[in-house]
Amino acid sequence: MGDAAKSVHYHALFDCDVREAAGWYDRCLPGLGDIFVEKVRVAVNKIIADPRRFAHTSLSGIRYARVAKFPYVVLFDTDGECLEFFAVLHTARDIGKWRERLEP
């Protein structure tokens, strides 16, 4: 098992990403949004358990984990003692759109 980060932080819009996608899925099929939220939660927990096992994106230092059964990824960064979650992104969207979230 990898070394878990000591502190975990979420970008202010991370939760908004999850709620927006879950709402869309619920409009398609009631209850599907809850399943989406659970799959995001599972991905986040896997990242927390071993962040270095996930691939890097084209954005410097940013890694991603796929959300099982949905076309989404969780974007995050780990720099030693901190694990930062930036976005939940549909795989059809341009990853560069979330670059502004990386600015301090």
Side-chain angles (χ1 to χ4, degrees):
M1 181 176 289
D3 47 342
K6 293 182 180 172
S7 63
V8 177
H9 300 278
Y10 294 85
H11 188 278
L13 297 176
F14 185 89
D15 192 47
C16 181
D17 292 343
V18 176
R19 283 193 319 260
E20 182 178 303
W24 187 87
Y25 281 115
D26 266 337
R27 287 188 297 278
C28 292
L29 179 66
L32 192 54
D34 292 337
I35 295 169
F36 174 77
V37 170
E38 180 56 29
K39 296 299 183 183
V40 170
R41 188 173 291 126
V42 168
V44 166
N45 288 337
K46 286 180 180 180
I47 293 165
I48 291 170
D50 190 5
R52 294 185 184 174
R53 81 178 228 198
F54 296 96
H56 286 273
T57 67
S58 60
L59 301 174
S60 179
I62 305 304
R63 294 175 186 258
Y64 70 94
R66 294 193 180 278
V67 176
K69 302 191 184 285
F70 291 90
Y72 279 80
V73 292
V74 176
L75 299 179
F76 69 97
D77 186 20
T78 182
D79 65 356
E81 295 190 16
C82 181
L83 179 58
E84 177 119 18
F85 290 93
F86 294 110
V88 177
L89 172 68
H90 193 285
T91 56
R93 306 220 38 205
D94 178 14
I95 197 168
K97 179 179 184 288
W98 277 263
R99 187 178 303 270
E100 65 269 10
R101 292 192 188 182
L102 307 178
E103 303 301 321

